[in-house]
Amino acid sequence: MKCRKCSEKALITLRRHNASFCKEHFNEFFIKQVEKGIKEYKMFDFSDKIMVCISGGKDSLVLWYLLHKMGYETTGMYINLGIGEYSEKSLRKVEAFTEKFGLKAVIVNLTELGHPIPLLEKSVKRHACSICGIAKRYYFNKVAYENNFDVVATGHNLDDESARLLGNVLKWDPAYLSKMDPNLPEEGDYIKRKVKPLIRLTELEVGAFAFMNGIDYITDECPKSVGATSMLYKGVLNSLESDMPGTKHYFYNEFFRTVADRFRADSEEKTEMYNCAVCGMESFLETCSFCKMLEKMK
Ligand code: FES
Ligand code: ZN
Ligand code: ZN
């Protein structure tokens, strides 16, 4: 197989684009997709201070590497979830990455704060992933607010977001469907804009980019994610994609082109913000979901 651009030997074939690329032209393709996503959804510009949420996985490290390389002002933010060996390994990957590329990250350690995910899981009767989601959202907002970042960027890719869309469509949940936008506006004074610049790229493409550019990442799945419904939705979309390349992209993009606005309008009417009675952070509830969770630990 030859590269579509230069006829050198291709290293990767992307069926959904009906194209094969050598390393140089795959990198060019990849960066263009990121630039396109940033521009299409007006995510940020060079005057913004960007906080990149990193987990030690390929998506977030690739995102940070690229935004930094493109000249954006970035700082990483890592949450040590306290999930045994998995968290230790992912922290080591983050440390190796920051050292290799000369970058700095803010680190929040849930064990030191007294509420690692396994402990929260014991007191709150919910799936670990949903507890973890609440904790991550809370600290993303808090760190971004306290450090005056303009925007919070996460490494969600097309696989993540099309799977999330499928889950929300299956339930026809308007509140969740209204939050699908890869550029969610800031809310009140505390909650910063949230963006997903890798939205035009699949998990496979991000993995290939990491491999070709010497970005080492944790390959283990989080042990708590076993049985998560998102995995099921990803599996369904993967089998559709393999028979019909381009399905994920079409499904996701057509949602925004056709019906997403209706859900946005619905949600705008209902938003009322409070300051959490416990921590003071802005919230849709009188006590924020994170503080409610911590109360259950007492
Ligand atoms: Fe949050 Fe696994 S990464 S529960
Ligand atoms: Zn080429
Ligand atoms: Zn609170």
Side-chain angles (χ1 to χ4, degrees):
M1 201 67 83
K2 289 192 173 160
C3 170
R4 176 205 256 182
K5 286 279 185 87
C6 69
S7 302
E8 287 290 315
K9 187 173 179 282
L11 289 183
I12 185 165
T13 296
L14 307 179
R15 283 178 62 219
R16 71 190 181 107
H17 291 284
N18 204 10
S20 299
F21 293 112
C22 68
K23 177 182 166 180
E24 182 192 337
H25 291 113
F26 175 65
N27 278 348
E28 190 183 281
F29 156 85
F30 195 95
I31 293 169
K32 262 200 195 136
Q33 294 300 320
V34 177
E35 284 171 345
K36 230 172 160 176
I38 295 171
K39 208 168 148 203
E40 189 178 346
Y41 293 98
K42 299 186 180 67
M43 293 185 183
F44 43 76
D45 59 37
F46 289 98
S47 66
D48 285 317
K49 268 179 77 184
I50 306 168
M51 182 180 101
V52 187
C53 304
I54 46 167
S55 63
K58 61 183 179 322
D59 306 294
S60 54
L61 294 183
V62 162
L63 174 64
W64 193 12
Y65 168 88
L66 264 184
L67 294 184
H68 173 69
K69 211 170 139 80
M70 289 156 99
Y72 290 103
E73 190 184 337
T74 59
T75 303
M77 193 278 197
Y78 171 78
I79 305 178
N80 186 337
L81 301 164
I83 306 180
E85 204 191 325
Y86 170 74
S87 288
E88 282 158 30
K89 261 194 191 172
S90 64
L91 176 61
R92 282 200 296 276
K93 295 290 179 190
V94 168
E95 285 170 344
F97 176 87
T98 50
E99 200 177 310
K100 179 167 180 180
F101 297 107
L103 295 165
K104 280 215 169 69
V106 176
I107 297 196
V108 170
N109 187 327
L110 295 194
T111 308
E112 281 170 13
L113 289 163
H115 42 258
I117 298 298
L119 201 61
L120 281 171
E121 204 184 351
K122 278 192 191 141
S123 358
V124 186
K125 304 274 167 278
R126 287 171 83 158
H127 194 285
C129 290
S130 109
I131 295 171
C132 178
I134 295 173
K136 280 180 179 166
R137 251 190 320 277
Y138 181 79
Y139 283 108
F140 290 166
N141 288 333
K142 187 172 158 67
V143 173
Y145 170 73
E146 288 174 352
N147 293 277
N148 282 322
F149 288 107
D150 299 301
V151 56
V152 173
T154 56
H156 294 95
N157 58 42
L158 181 59
D159 291 49
D160 299 322
E161 290 304 285
S162 53
R164 194 160 73 91
L165 176 61
L166 178 61
N168 291 337
V169 164
L170 289 175
K171 293 188 201 107
W172 287 118
D173 188 324
Y176 285 112
L177 285 166
S178 73
K179 299 269 180 201
M180 284 305 308
D181 207 311
N183 179 356
L184 287 174
E186 49 193 19
E187 288 163 313
D189 297 328
Y190 289 71
I191 301 173
K192 305 292 179 179
R193 187 154 29 109
K194 296 205 178 66
V195 297
K196 295 170 181 153
L198 298 185
I199 197 58
R200 298 182 60 86
L201 293 147
T202 64
E203 211 154 286
L204 186 122
E205 290 156 7
V206 179
F209 184 89
F211 178 72
M212 289 185 206
N213 291 280
I215 298 167
D216 188 23
Y217 58 87
I218 182 163
T219 49
D220 312 22
E221 288 292 346
C222 167
K224 302 282 182 195
S225 69
V226 178
T229 41
S230 58
M231 295 294 189
L232 191 66
Y233 299 142
K234 278 188 180 180
V236 170
L237 286 166
N238 278 339
S239 56
L240 287 171
E241 182 80 21
S242 113
D243 284 348
M244 299 183 287
T247 298
K248 291 173 195 171
H249 183 84
Y250 186 81
F251 175 55
Y252 183 78
N253 280 278
E254 287 303 291
F255 169 73
F256 286 103
R257 206 183 59 78
T258 55
V259 293
D261 274 344
R262 290 193 211 173
F263 297 104
R264 273 188 206 121
D266 267 9
S267 74
E268 269 159 23
E269 288 164 20
K270 291 175 202 152
T271 320
E272 193 185 339
M273 302 287 275
Y274 303 90
N275 283 89
C276 168
V278 181
C279 71
M281 284 287 289
E282 236 152 24
S283 159
F284 297 108
L285 305 163
E286 285 179 36
T287 300
C288 77
S289 333
F290 182 70
C291 289
K292 274 193 180 159
M293 220 161 64
L294 290 191
E295 272 169 10
K296 290 195 181 143
M297 276 180 70
K298 286 177 192 159

